[in-house]
Amino acid sequence: MTSDSPRPPPRRRFFGGFGRRELQGLFWQVLVVGIVLGVVAFLWCNTVTNLSARRITTGFAFLGREAGMPIADSLLSYNPRDTYLWAFVVGIANTLRVAVIGIVLATILGTLIGISRLSANWLLSRLAAVYVETLRDIPLLLQLLFWYVLMQALPAARAAWRPVEGVFLSNRGLILPAIPVGSPQLWVLGTAVLGLAVFYLIRRWLIAQQMRDGKPRPAWPFAVGLIVALPAAMSVALGVSWKIEWPELRGFNFVGGLTLAPEYFALLIALVTYTSAFIAEIVRSGIQSVPRGQWDAANALGLRRSFMLRQIILPQALRVIVPPKTSQYLNLTKNSSLAVAIGYQDVVSVANTTLNQTGQAIEAIALIMAVFLTISLCISFFMNWYNSRIALVER
């Protein structure tokens, strides 16, 4: 069958084979980029001119000067005679100390609360609902102040509460037994982490071999050798001592053990409880997104509820849970900046003190933004990688 209708005229092509529509799109893109660059250049020139008029120096040379600021609770060793740069590093370590531990604890607590909301036990599900609805409806700053005031109201060190042998709770914070960690212990822990990474790769290879020929290959000998035997050999070779240091009261304070300052402890509790309320709802919605037929099939096989959740329901629910949970991890990390309200010296507090001492406002704020941007991008990268690993692959 032929058609006598005339063919449409060919589209005219201009420079480099671009048509009129492509050239119009390119023009508007170049125009928008030019406007943005012009605005940025205007703001930069205006800032430089105003700083020069007020005789305010710019640059990051101040980072090499002596800080002279005290940091009471620090994960890294610090002295006021150290530089501003090291003070920023200590502040970043304190921020990561809150964010990493807070993310782990909020994930565990939020998952348990989310599962409890779906429990057949009426009392347990109602208590979980009250927990969620109460904590996520109260501003985080108020919760943070509440926990800090509560910590200050605890008894003095001499009358400290002792819920468990070796654990003390007072207005000095939470004191726990601990193993002193030095350079030898870090080498052993690094060896264990390396062994765990190598075991992960070996386990993937063993699974791939089993999928190829159907022959199961045990992975436990590699686990024992890499995760247990290798760090133990390193520990013996270095003569590492793993003796637990128990805290004891001497005078008006505790000596030995691990001390969690009231500011850090209050901040950690507030962030964990507040964020776990949102994570609980994410976990609940993820579990409810799994088709009811999965539950019915597992019940028909007589499987235990704990086994169903762990092996059938949660692996499928993760595809719904992980993306919004990433946002909660980012929120927890950024909300840690509220530590300045109770005197915990994280990177924001250190930057504020630096700003007041040096007058380098733009540089200090830029460092805060760079730190939180870097941490948030790392969290997003890891969670996106994990989400791609558990995503359904269509054949």
Side-chain angles (χ1 to χ4, degrees), residues 8 22 32 51 63 86 123 128 144 159 201 215 395:
E22 288 82 359
V32 170
L51 291 175
L63 292 175
W86 184 246
L123 179 60
L144 177 59
L201 297 176
K215 297 179 180 179
R395 298 177 181 272

Side-chain angles (χ1 to χ4, degrees), residues 108-137 273-284 287-288:
I108 297 173
L109 182 59
T111 302
L112 294 177
I113 297 296
I115 295 175
S116 299
R117 287 210 64 181
L118 300 174
S119 174
N121 187 310
W122 182 89
L123 179 60
L124 181 61
S125 63
R126 295 287 78 77
L127 288 176
V130 170
Y131 176 92
V132 170
E133 297 300 333
T134 301
L135 291 179
R136 70 176 184 172
D137 292 338
T273 54
Y274 180 76
T275 308
S276 64
F278 291 91
I279 292 179
E281 286 297 275
I282 294 172
V283 171
R284 181 180 66 87
I287 293 175
Q288 289 181 327

Side-chain angles (χ1 to χ4, degrees), residues 14-33:
F14 299 97
F15 304 102
F18 287 104
R20 178 178 299 176
R21 182 175 300 175
E22 288 82 359
L23 285 176
Q24 289 178 351
L26 181 62
F27 169 76
W28 287 112
Q29 293 178 39
V30 171
L31 180 62
V32 170
V33 172

Side-chain angles (χ1 to χ4, degrees), residues 310-332:
R310 188 175 64 254
Q311 299 293 339
I312 300 174
I313 304 302
L314 283 179
Q316 299 181 67
L318 282 177
R319 299 175 179 89
V320 178
I321 292 173
V322 169
K325 187 182 285 188
T326 303
S327 299
Q328 295 305 318
Y329 291 167
L330 296 176
N331 288 337
L332 187 147

Side-chain angles (χ1 to χ4, degrees), residues 50-328:
N50 292 332
L51 291 175
S52 301
R54 291 166 175 77
R55 297 181 181 180
I56 299 176
T57 58
T58 58
F60 294 92
F62 71 95
L63 292 175
R65 301 205 302 262
E66 180 180 318
M69 73 174 77
I71 299 180
D73 184 19
S74 60
L75 185 63
L76 305 176
S77 60
Y78 173 80
N79 190 286
R81 292 190 297 272
D82 291 331
T83 62
Y84 281 111
L85 178 60
W86 184 246
F88 267 100
V89 173
V90 172
I92 294 171
N94 285 348
T95 297
L96 292 175
R97 181 187 178 194
V98 173
V100 174
I101 298 178
I103 286 174
V104 174
L105 295 180
T107 301
I108 297 173
L109 182 59
T111 302
L112 294 177
I113 297 296
I115 295 175
S116 299
R117 287 210 64 181
L118 300 174
S119 174
N121 187 310
W122 182 89
L123 179 60
L124 181 61
S125 63
R126 295 287 78 77
L127 288 176
V130 170
Y131 176 92
V132 170
E133 297 300 333
T134 301
L135 291 179
R136 70 176 184 172
D137 292 338
I138 300 176
L140 176 58
L141 181 58
L142 294 180
Q143 296 187 39
L144 177 59
L145 295 176
F146 167 79
W147 286 111
Y148 182 65
V149 171
L150 191 63
M151 289 295 298
Q152 297 300 316
L154 291 175
R158 286 183 175 274
W161 295 344
R162 187 183 296 183
V164 182
E165 183 64 30
V167 178
F168 300 90
L169 184 62
S170 68
N171 57 8
R172 298 296 180 95
L174 179 66
I175 297 90
L176 305 169
I179 298 175
V181 178
S183 180
Q185 286 85 356
L186 291 178
W187 276 104
V188 177
L189 293 176
T191 303
V193 173
L194 180 62
L196 185 63
V198 174
F199 171 71
Y200 172 76
L201 297 176
I202 292 177
R203 184 173 178 272
R204 289 191 59 185
W205 179 78
L206 292 176
I207 293 175
Q209 291 296 109
Q210 181 178 352
M211 296 296 293
R212 184 176 299 136
D213 55 21
K215 297 179 180 179
R217 295 172 174 82
W220 67 265
F222 298 98
V224 172
L226 293 171
I227 304 176
V228 179
L230 185 60
M234 177 68 73
S235 178
V236 172
L238 297 178
V240 179
S241 174
W242 297 98
K243 183 180 179 181
I244 299 178
E245 187 180 68
W246 295 88
E248 57 179 334
L249 181 63
R250 291 183 184 176
F252 297 98
N253 205 351
F254 292 95
V255 176
L258 174 64
T259 300
L260 303 181
E263 295 80 9
Y264 172 78
F265 195 43
L267 177 64
L268 186 63
I269 293 177
L271 289 175
V272 169
T273 54
Y274 180 76
T275 308
S276 64
F278 291 91
I279 292 179
E281 286 297 275
I282 294 172
V283 171
R284 181 180 66 87
S285 62
I287 293 175
Q288 289 181 327
S289 69
V290 178
R292 184 64 192 177
Q294 299 289 323
W295 293 91
D296 296 337
N299 285 323
L301 294 174
L303 300 178
R304 297 191 308 273
R305 185 177 178 84
S306 60
F307 183 85
M308 284 190 291
L309 281 172
R310 188 175 64 254
Q311 299 293 339
I312 300 174
I313 304 302
L314 283 179
Q316 299 181 67
L318 282 177
R319 299 175 179 89
V320 178
I321 292 173
V322 169
K325 187 182 285 188
T326 303
S327 299
Q328 295 305 318

